[in-house]
Amino acid sequence: MKFAIAVFSPAHAPSSRRALRYAEAVLAGGHEIARLFFYQDGVHSASANLVVPQDELDVAGQWRAFIQANQLDAVVCIAAALRRGVLDEAEANRYQRPAVNLPAPWELSGLGQLHEAAQLADRLVCFGGD
Amino acid sequence: MATLHVIAHSPFGDERLRSCLRLLGADDAVLLCGDAVYALRPGAAPHQQLQQANLADRLFALDEDLQARAIENPLATAVDYPGFVALSLHYDKVNSWL
């Protein structure tokens, strides 16, 4: 079965970690992830500039490793990202901002990608909250 | 269409749980995770609401969140992450109360 997973919370929220554990269980169960979509405060999970204390779980780092290891399609909502200062090189250049904090494997795109993922997948599962 | 309702917010902070129980269809199920598992602590109003809803085998809770909060719970069926995935497939849709 195909899953689309949408994350609405930042990396320091328990629900971002829960979404990651769920995504791992989806793949471990032999299913497919059609797309990961990071929306609203979820875009912070994609920032390369997060510095997590050594005794805490680096959920953003684990997301990046998980996406790279499984070559997943990980889309970050561009409107939500811009207003939160999460920029790839093209957007940093376009708006003349001094820093880039959205490297690969993440990809900035529009909300249409969430809609398409919902159509492609058998289940859309959203994660937010505490 | 049978729906799995996922609630992750504390039942003491807002009306999500109460609204969900009011709207719940006859074939729908509820999965509590994160701070929402506090609804399973006996003696408080949310626990009474869950008892009155009489969900029987349609009430689930994420096991790691029960353990993290030391909640003993005879009311809900505890599930792990593979169980959560299986529930997502068992029901036609997953509705998260974001």
Side-chain angles (χ1 to χ4, degrees):
Chain A
M1 298 290 254
K2 282 187 191 172
F3 287 76
I5 297 173
V7 181
F8 288 70
S9 50
H12 58 264
S15 47
S16 181
R17 178 187 164 280
R18 199 177 304 129
L20 176 58
R21 294 290 169 265
Y22 182 87
E24 289 168 348
V26 165
L27 294 188
H31 304 293
E32 191 184 325
I33 295 176
R35 181 168 294 148
L36 297 165
F37 192 87
F38 293 78
Y39 193 36
Q40 296 179 359
D41 281 345
V43 304
H44 290 303
S45 292
S47 170
N49 280 355
L50 299 184
V51 180
V52 178
Q54 284 183 3
D55 61 341
E56 289 182 20
L57 203 62
D58 181 6
V59 175
Q62 289 194 356
W63 268 121
R64 194 178 317 121
F66 175 73
I67 290 160
Q68 279 171 333
N70 297 289
Q71 303 198 328
L72 298 175
D73 184 10
V75 175
V76 178
C77 174
I78 189 165
L82 289 179
R83 69 165 68 231
R84 289 169 177 83
V86 177
L87 308 178
D88 65 4
E89 197 162 357
E91 297 307 311
N93 286 336
R94 189 198 316 274
Y95 296 102
Q96 294 161 12
R97 291 300 188 269
V100 175
N101 58 348
L102 192 81
W106 307 96
E107 196 183 328
L108 283 178
S109 194
L111 199 52
Q113 300 292 312
L114 175 60
H115 184 264
E116 190 191 56
Q119 304 301 315
L120 286 172
D122 299 296
R123 294 291 183 280
L124 167 65
V125 184
C126 301
F127 288 86
D130 302 318
Chain B
M1 214 176 231
T3 301
L4 176 69
H5 294 265
V6 180
I7 304 183
H9 291 77
S10 165
F12 300 102
D14 57 52
E15 291 292 302
R16 283 183 179 83
L17 178 65
R18 193 192 291 264
S19 300
C20 174
L21 292 176
R22 198 168 56 230
L23 296 169
L24 207 66
D27 298 324
D28 292 357
V30 177
L31 170 64
L32 303 172
C33 51
D35 282 349
V37 302
Y38 282 123
L40 292 166
R41 214 165 50 176
H47 187 254
Q48 283 180 343
Q49 291 162 18
L50 284 175
Q51 280 179 318
Q52 284 163 5
N54 203 15
L55 296 173
D57 55 355
R58 296 187 289 133
L59 179 60
F60 302 90
L62 205 56
D63 193 37
E64 66 168 21
D65 289 320
L66 292 172
Q67 286 185 25
R69 292 161 183 80
I71 292 174
E72 300 271 339
N73 119 79
L75 205 57
T77 306
V79 294
D80 55 9
Y81 282 97
F84 186 175
V85 173
L87 281 177
S88 314
L89 293 172
H90 179 77
Y91 291 90
D92 300 312
K93 280 188 180 305
V94 181
N95 178 45
S96 297
W97 289 67
L98 293 169

